[in-house]
Amino acid sequence: MRVLVIGASGYVGSRVVPAFLAAGCPVRAAARNPASLRRFWWHDRVETTRVDVTDAHTLPSALDDVDVVVYLVHGMRSAHFRDIDLAAARTVRRAVDASQVTRVVYVSGFVPDCAPDELSEHLLSRWEVEQELPRSHRTVITLRAGVVLGSGSTSFEVLGQLGGRLPVTVVPDWMDSRVEPIAVVDLVAAVLGAAVADTPTDSFDVGCGQSLRYPELLRLYGQITGMPRAQVTVAGLPGAVIGRIGSWLTEVPSGTVAALMESLRHDMTARDRRWIGRLVPAAHRPVGVARAVQRAVLPVDTRVPCAQRDPMGALPGDPEWAVAAAEARRFSAVGIPPRRRPPV
């Protein structure tokens, strides 16, 4: 089974690619700039190709001799990301239908039970792509996930930086929503399972089975990292203001932070656990929230080859701002300012 990973340079892609390799699958890793894939430890073990999902001409050669497409593209930096994402999904869907691909696996986000016009732009964009891709004549499996726990994950790094940058964490009252995170290793397991599962076009909510309110998740992070923070709940803070504050407190690109935080107006939890038994073995036990955070913040032992390291931790190729955050975690709990970036 040959796999094309579109969006291989992103966080989830960087963990999905080596998992397919470990399973014995040839992988073609796609990015708008294939040279950007050289920063990953696995780059010389895959075939790389240029794919711009907004340019249909880049897709036929990338899809040639491919069985499964893993689609991980989701832009939030452009002011018009919704339009771009939908157009890209339509372009990919048409190219897939014109190829020999048999299946598409798309990683989306939880969709709350509300009218589409009540969704944040971030969630609405995910929902629109989720409606477009299954129009394909091929099997399309959508995986809906919430907060992805793992060093380098955008949602995880936002969590840590929001909860650890100030002596007191200000939480707007509308952010008291429930979240059900998932460890990146479990999300990767679901992707691999979706690629081979004997199931028709369908969508699956993937979560760890444990939900808690976002302020509780912030407190848990602080306890595990040794950086507990007092919390103050404030009523009436506009989402735009919180987005700007979040952008100021974190190294994550500002548009991404604002989009993610706006989504916290909704409960982000799984409706069911069908993915266990359908996509992964019934005996599969997802990593719990506390254990996932613990694994994500453990110091890296650089003597261990990358292929043998815990994918929950920092790895070469993670975004520079995420590496800086990992460095800060190492020192802030003991009050030592970071002086240099350690190798990962």
Side-chain angles (χ1 to χ4, degrees):
M1 179 180 71
R2 184 179 296 276
V3 180
L4 172 67
V5 179
I6 301 179
S9 61
Y11 173 70
V12 174
S14 73
R15 269 56 174 179
V16 162
V17 167
F20 274 113
L21 292 173
C25 299
V27 175
R28 185 175 292 158
R32 278 183 298 180
N33 177 15
S36 68
L37 299 174
R38 294 175 186 165
R39 70 183 193 271
F40 297 111
W41 63 267
W42 41 258
H43 79 276
D44 58 350
R45 307 184 187 188
V46 303
E47 177 189 353
T48 61
T49 187
R50 177 180 178 272
V51 167
D52 181 342
V53 291
T54 64
D55 182 357
H57 295 93
T58 66
L59 287 164
S61 60
L63 292 168
D64 183 48
D65 197 29
V66 164
D67 303 295
V68 174
V69 172
V70 178
Y71 189 65
L72 302 172
V73 174
H74 182 54
M76 288 189 289
R77 299 188 184 187
S78 167
H80 306 288
F81 70 83
R82 267 185 61 198
D83 294 335
I84 295 172
D85 276 359
L86 183 57
R90 186 174 297 117
T91 298
V92 170
R93 190 257 301 168
R94 290 170 176 166
V96 164
D97 282 346
S99 73
Q100 298 302 307
V101 168
T102 60
R103 177 169 298 215
V104 176
V105 179
Y106 169 55
V107 176
S108 183
F110 286 141
V111 179
D113 287 321
C114 63
D117 59 2
E118 296 178 25
L119 295 172
S120 68
E121 288 287 290
H122 164 57
L123 293 180
L124 184 56
S125 176
R126 294 275 183 135
W127 180 81
E128 289 171 340
V129 172
E130 188 177 322
Q131 301 306 301
E132 175 62 33
L133 289 177
R135 293 176 182 169
S136 170
H137 301 305
R138 310 293 188 253
T139 299
V140 177
I141 305 298
T142 299
L143 304 177
R144 295 170 168 174
V147 174
V148 178
L149 300 178
S151 182
S153 160
T154 302
S155 50
F156 178 76
E157 298 301 347
V158 168
L159 168 73
Q161 293 173 40
L162 286 178
R165 290 293 169 88
L166 295 176
V168 176
T169 302
V170 177
V171 181
D173 54 353
W174 51 262
M175 202 181 283
D176 194 35
S177 53
R178 299 198 72 85
V179 294
E180 182 178 343
I182 186 167
V184 69
V185 290
D186 289 317
L187 179 55
V188 168
V191 171
L192 267 64
V196 298
D198 183 15
T199 184
T201 293
D202 202 351
S203 62
F204 295 86
D205 288 5
V206 291
C208 70
Q210 176 187 359
S211 70
L212 62 171
R213 298 195 179 279
Y214 196 75
E216 295 173 333
L217 184 57
L218 287 168
R219 280 193 290 269
L220 178 63
Y221 180 95
Q223 293 166 3
I224 290 173
T225 57
M227 298 182 290
R229 296 290 187 267
Q231 288 185 4
V232 175
T233 301
V234 179
L237 282 178
V241 172
I242 293 299
R244 285 195 293 271
I245 293 174
S247 301
W248 173 64
L249 287 176
T250 71
E251 282 99 5
V252 182
S254 59
T256 301
V257 175
L260 291 175
M261 295 183 71
E262 183 66 19
S263 300
L264 292 173
R265 291 182 179 276
H266 308 279
D267 286 344
M268 303 292 285
T269 58
R271 293 180 175 86
D272 56 52
R273 293 168 61 80
R274 291 184 305 123
W275 73 284
I276 299 180
R278 294 281 297 277
L279 305 182
V280 297
H284 183 88
R285 294 293 179 267
V287 181
V289 176
R291 182 56 184 154
V293 174
Q294 289 168 349
R295 287 172 59 179
V297 301
L298 281 175
V300 174
D301 185 349
T302 57
R303 297 168 298 178
V304 177
C306 292
Q308 298 174 23
R309 295 185 197 174
D310 186 352
M312 295 290 297
L315 284 168
D318 288 347
E320 288 190 7
W321 52 262
V323 175
E327 177 188 9
R329 282 196 293 266
R330 293 181 60 216
F331 293 98
S332 57
V334 293
I336 303 174
R339 295 182 180 178
R340 64 181 182 88
R341 182 172 301 163
V344 297

